[in-house]
Amino acid sequence: MAHQHDELELEGAQSNILHQPAPVFAVAFACIIAFMGLGLVDPILPAISSQLHASKSQTELLFTSYNLVTGIAMLITGFISTRIGPKWTLLTGLFLIVGFSFLAGHSSTIGQIVGFRAGWGLGNALFIATALSVIVGVARGTTASAIILYEAALGLGISVGPLLGGTLGAHSWRDPFYGVACLMAIGFIAVLLFLRGVPRPAHRTSITAPFKALKYKGLLTLALTALFYNFGFFTLLAYTPFPLHMGIHQLGFVFFGWGILLAITSVFVAPRLEARFGLLPTMYTVLALITITLLVMGFGVHSQATLAICVIVVGAFLGINNTLITTAVMESAPVERPTASAAYSFVRFVGGGIAPWLAGKLSDTVSAACPFYVGALGVLIGIICLFIGRHALAHVSGAKSH
């Protein structure tokens, strides 16, 4: 009976996705474009490295500056949004992304691009943290259906990003940056016109609230798991284009396949697996599969076919884990959702900041395979963190820790 109830709840959540008010779709559309920016630069990384005479580790700083600033800025998103309101926080974030992505495309040195990507990360933090809470707050139906919609936008953006980057980047590495600026300007207009009726929070959030939220062991467990998991995720995303040795178009198609599987499993597969097997057993399994895939990529680093197949296949596992961990974070601590999201994102983006630079450094100084082994070790440590803190997640729906 319990299993049947889970299935009915899941079907209800998924059926609610398309029956949403206009403000939800306006924010979701902007989310798609925001997440395009994550994978858009993937196909052009080798071209930027070659044409601007930058080492791999220098080029990977494009991800490091973006992720570190995004993570640190997450700490102030609640403080800002509860003072100027969710709509103006979203618009400020979108405005910053438009400006800094345009400037990145206009850069002449790797240092300039890295700096402008940091500014892009600030806009990204203001937008992403607020977008999730707005969708959850305004959407019809359950929190689960709102998060599925958010993950659908994430998956679609991540999948289309590399394809668009490959298409635009075939002419010049600058064009994908200009493309993001144009698309984000459209997102800005959509939010400005359609996002109405979102009330300003009843009370202002303290700047220390995210730090206080991390005292709850459930939230801290998920944040640490994500920190180490991101060593695997961003090694795949930011480093793999180098050992693949493909053209910009080919890289775009490989990461498009990766993103499509990520999108499908995050929306359709993850909720069903959680309903069937529980949160923790499913997460242990997919994290173990990600670890194994990274090891295979390390062993097969000189085989273009092995790397390409692994990148596409691992997208399925990443999609499942992303949805499960995001849903769990929302229920993991007795704090407001934006505060929980900000605290969690601050910790996890540290991993996303260190991993790309470290992968480039290890490749330059040790071997091409070493970053994949370190990424696998990171995900394995993430599994250990999740196991140690499993009892603190017993209250999360569908946890089934035993």
Side-chain angles (χ1 to χ4, degrees), residues 33-231:
I33 301 165
F35 288 118
M36 275 185 193
L38 194 63
L40 196 84
V41 297
D42 255 32
I44 57 172
L45 287 174
I48 290 173
S49 176
S50 171
Q51 291 176 34
L52 296 182
H53 310 291
S55 67
K56 288 174 194 169
S57 56
Q58 288 174 319
T59 309
E60 298 290 23
L61 288 173
L62 266 72
F63 279 93
T64 296
S65 64
Y66 175 84
N67 285 329
L68 282 181
V69 172
T70 296
I72 293 165
M74 283 288 180
L75 297 172
I76 60 168
T77 53
F79 178 82
I80 292 171
S81 67
T82 54
R83 282 157 177 80
I84 67 173
K87 180 173 181 175
W88 288 106
T89 306
L90 288 172
L91 290 173
T92 303
L94 288 166
F95 180 79
L96 288 171
I97 296 170
V98 170
F100 283 112
S101 56
F102 177 82
L103 289 170
H106 213 61
S107 300
S108 55
T109 67
I110 194 72
Q112 288 175 351
I113 303 176
V114 169
F116 292 135
R117 282 280 285 181
W120 187 340
L122 173 60
N124 193 52
L126 290 171
F127 177 79
I128 288 176
T130 313
L132 179 56
S133 61
V134 167
I135 288 176
V136 170
V138 178
R140 295 188 186 117
T142 62
T143 299
S145 66
I147 288 173
I148 289 170
L149 180 66
Y150 176 79
E151 290 295 335
L154 186 153
L156 193 58
I158 283 181
S159 61
V160 174
L163 194 63
L164 188 65
T167 304
L168 295 174
H171 176 257
S172 166
W173 64 261
R174 299 177 188 276
D175 289 353
F177 292 115
Y178 294 141
V180 167
C182 292
L183 288 168
M184 274 308 201
I186 297 169
F188 181 93
I189 294 166
V191 171
L192 184 66
L193 294 179
F194 295 107
L195 187 59
R196 293 193 182 97
V198 181
R200 190 173 294 190
H203 65 276
R204 295 181 172 185
T205 299
S206 163
I207 203 161
T208 59
F211 292 108
K212 291 176 180 176
L214 289 171
K215 73 180 181 182
Y216 295 103
K217 289 183 180 177
L219 181 59
L220 182 61
T221 294
L222 292 171
L224 289 174
T225 300
L227 186 153
F228 290 106
Y229 155 74
N230 266 358
F231 273 84

Side-chain angles (χ1 to χ4, degrees), residues 345-401:
S345 296
F346 164 66
V347 177
R348 75 184 173 110
F349 272 111
V350 171
I354 297 169
W357 173 82
L358 182 63
K361 205 71 177 170
L362 290 171
S363 174
D364 287 335
T365 58
V366 184
S367 72
C370 190
F372 293 116
Y373 297 141
V374 172
L377 178 62
V379 181
L380 182 62
I381 295 170
I383 297 172
I384 294 168
C385 289
L386 188 63
F387 182 76
I388 291 171
R390 67 193 183 282
H391 297 304
L393 294 166
H395 65 286
V396 177
S397 64
K400 295 180 186 176
S401 60

